[in-house]
Amino acid sequence: MNRILALMIVILAAMALPLAAADNRVPLWETVEVREEASSSENEPIEITTRERQIYITTGQTVEVRVYSILGQLITKRKISPGTVRLTLGTRGIYILKTDTTTRRINL
């Protein structure tokens, strides 16, 4: 009986491994929309929204985006062009998103 229980635990743990590995994946940056850079957009605010554990960043100018954990560790950074970019992070949590002009707390 104990062997059967031990075998069931091993099987359940093996089944959970792919799920745990998927949650710890590398941040994924994807361009959703590209816009022409306009000289009048220097004061245009950066729009940041979240949907389904993804962060959408829309900007009218080239900007560097940095994402930190709530403990201050740099998770990822990227210079993005005008348009909309989708960032997928592997785990849920609270993040700090910073640009030159904006700092936002993100809950995923």
Coordinates of all heavy atoms in Angstrom, one line a residue, residues 10 18 22 33-34 43-44 48-50 54 57 64 67 77 86 93 95 101 106-107:
V10 N 5.0 10.3 -6.9 CA 6.0 10.5 -8.0 C 5.3 10.9 -9.3 O 5.8 11.8 -10.0 CB 6.9 9.3 -8.1 CG1 7.8 9.4 -9.3 CG2 7.8 9.1 -6.9
P18 N 6.0 20.3 -15.9 CA 5.8 21.2 -17.0 C 5.1 22.5 -16.6 O 5.4 23.5 -17.1 CB 5.0 20.4 -18.0 CG 5.3 19.0 -17.6 CD 5.5 19.0 -16.2
A22 N 6.8 26.3 -17.0 CA 6.1 27.3 -17.8 C 6.0 28.6 -17.0 O 6.1 29.7 -17.6 CB 4.8 26.8 -18.3
E33 N 2.0 46.6 -32.5 CA 1.7 47.6 -33.5 C 2.9 48.5 -33.6 O 3.5 48.8 -32.7 CB 0.5 48.4 -33.0 CG 0.1 49.6 -33.9 CD -0.9 50.5 -33.3 OE1 -1.5 50.2 -32.3 OE2 -1.0 51.6 -33.8
V34 N 3.2 48.9 -34.9 CA 4.3 49.8 -35.1 C 3.8 51.1 -35.6 O 2.9 51.1 -36.5 CB 5.3 49.2 -36.2 CG1 6.4 50.2 -36.5 CG2 5.8 47.9 -35.7
N43 N 5.9 64.8 -25.6 CA 5.2 65.0 -24.3 C 4.0 64.0 -24.2 O 3.3 64.1 -23.3 CB 4.7 66.4 -24.2 CG 5.9 67.4 -24.0 OD1 6.9 67.0 -23.5 ND2 5.8 68.6 -24.5
E44 N 3.8 63.2 -25.2 CA 2.7 62.2 -25.2 C 3.0 61.2 -24.1 O 4.0 60.6 -24.0 CB 2.7 61.5 -26.6 CG 1.5 60.5 -26.7 CD 1.5 59.8 -28.0 OE1 1.7 60.5 -29.0 OE2 1.4 58.6 -28.0
I48 N 0.0 52.3 -20.3 CA 0.3 51.0 -19.8 C -0.9 50.3 -19.3 O -1.6 50.9 -18.5 CB 1.4 51.1 -18.6 CG1 2.6 51.8 -19.1 CG2 1.7 49.7 -18.1 CD1 3.5 52.2 -18.0
T49 N -1.3 49.1 -19.9 CA -2.4 48.4 -19.5 C -2.0 46.9 -19.3 O -1.0 46.5 -19.8 CB -3.6 48.5 -20.5 OG1 -3.1 48.0 -21.8 CG2 -4.1 49.9 -20.7
T50 N -2.9 46.2 -18.5 CA -2.6 44.8 -18.3 C -3.9 44.0 -18.7 O -5.0 44.5 -18.4 CB -2.3 44.5 -16.8 OG1 -3.3 44.9 -16.0 CG2 -1.0 45.1 -16.4
Q54 N -0.5 39.8 -19.0 CA 0.4 40.5 -20.0 C 0.3 42.0 -19.8 O -0.7 42.5 -19.5 CB 0.0 40.1 -21.4 CG 0.1 38.6 -21.7 CD -0.4 38.2 -23.1 OE1 -1.3 38.8 -23.6 NE2 0.2 37.2 -23.7
I57 N 2.3 48.1 -23.5 CA 2.9 49.4 -23.4 C 2.8 50.1 -24.8 O 3.2 49.6 -25.8 CB 4.4 49.3 -23.0 CG1 4.5 48.4 -21.8 CG2 5.0 50.7 -22.9 CD1 5.9 47.8 -21.6
E64 N 13.1 53.5 -23.3 CA 13.7 52.3 -22.6 C 12.7 51.9 -21.5 O 12.4 52.8 -20.6 CB 15.1 52.5 -22.1 CG 15.6 51.2 -21.5 CD 17.0 51.3 -21.0 OE1 17.2 52.0 -19.9 OE2 17.9 50.8 -21.6
V67 N 11.7 46.7 -16.0 CA 10.7 46.0 -15.2 C 11.5 45.4 -14.0 O 12.4 44.7 -14.2 CB 9.9 44.9 -15.9 CG1 8.9 44.3 -14.9 CG2 9.1 45.5 -17.1
K77 N 14.7 44.5 -19.4 CA 14.6 45.8 -19.9 C 14.8 45.7 -21.4 O 15.3 44.8 -21.9 CB 15.7 46.7 -19.3 CG 17.1 46.4 -19.7 CD 18.1 47.4 -19.1 CE 19.5 47.0 -19.6 NZ 20.5 48.0 -19.1
R86 N 3.8 44.1 -26.3 CA 3.2 43.2 -25.3 C 4.3 42.5 -24.6 O 5.2 41.9 -25.2 CB 2.3 42.2 -26.0 CG 1.7 41.2 -25.0 CD 0.7 40.2 -25.6 NE 1.2 39.7 -26.9 CZ 0.5 39.6 -28.0 NH1 -0.8 40.0 -28.0 NH2 1.0 39.1 -29.1
G93 N 2.6 38.4 -9.8 CA 3.2 39.1 -8.7 C 3.0 40.6 -8.9 O 2.2 41.0 -9.8
Y95 N 5.0 44.1 -9.8 CA 6.2 44.5 -10.5 C 6.2 46.1 -10.6 O 5.1 46.7 -10.5 CB 6.2 44.0 -11.9 CG 6.3 42.5 -12.0 CD1 5.2 41.7 -12.1 CD2 7.5 41.8 -11.9 CE1 5.2 40.3 -12.1 CE2 7.6 40.5 -12.0 CZ 6.5 39.7 -12.1 OH 6.6 38.3 -12.1
T101 N 10.2 58.8 -18.0 CA 9.2 59.7 -17.5 C 8.1 59.1 -16.6 O 7.2 59.8 -16.1 CB 8.5 60.5 -18.7 OG1 7.9 59.5 -19.5 CG2 9.5 61.2 -19.5
I106 N 2.6 47.4 -11.2 CA 1.8 46.5 -12.1 C 1.5 45.3 -11.2 O 2.4 44.6 -10.7 CB 2.6 46.0 -13.3 CG1 3.1 47.2 -14.1 CG2 1.8 45.1 -14.1 CD1 2.1 48.0 -14.8
N107 N 0.2 44.9 -11.1 CA -0.2 43.7 -10.5 C -0.6 42.7 -11.5 O -1.5 42.9 -12.3 CB -1.4 44.0 -9.6 CG -1.1 44.9 -8.4 OD1 -0.1 44.8 -7.8 ND2 -2.0 45.9 -8.2

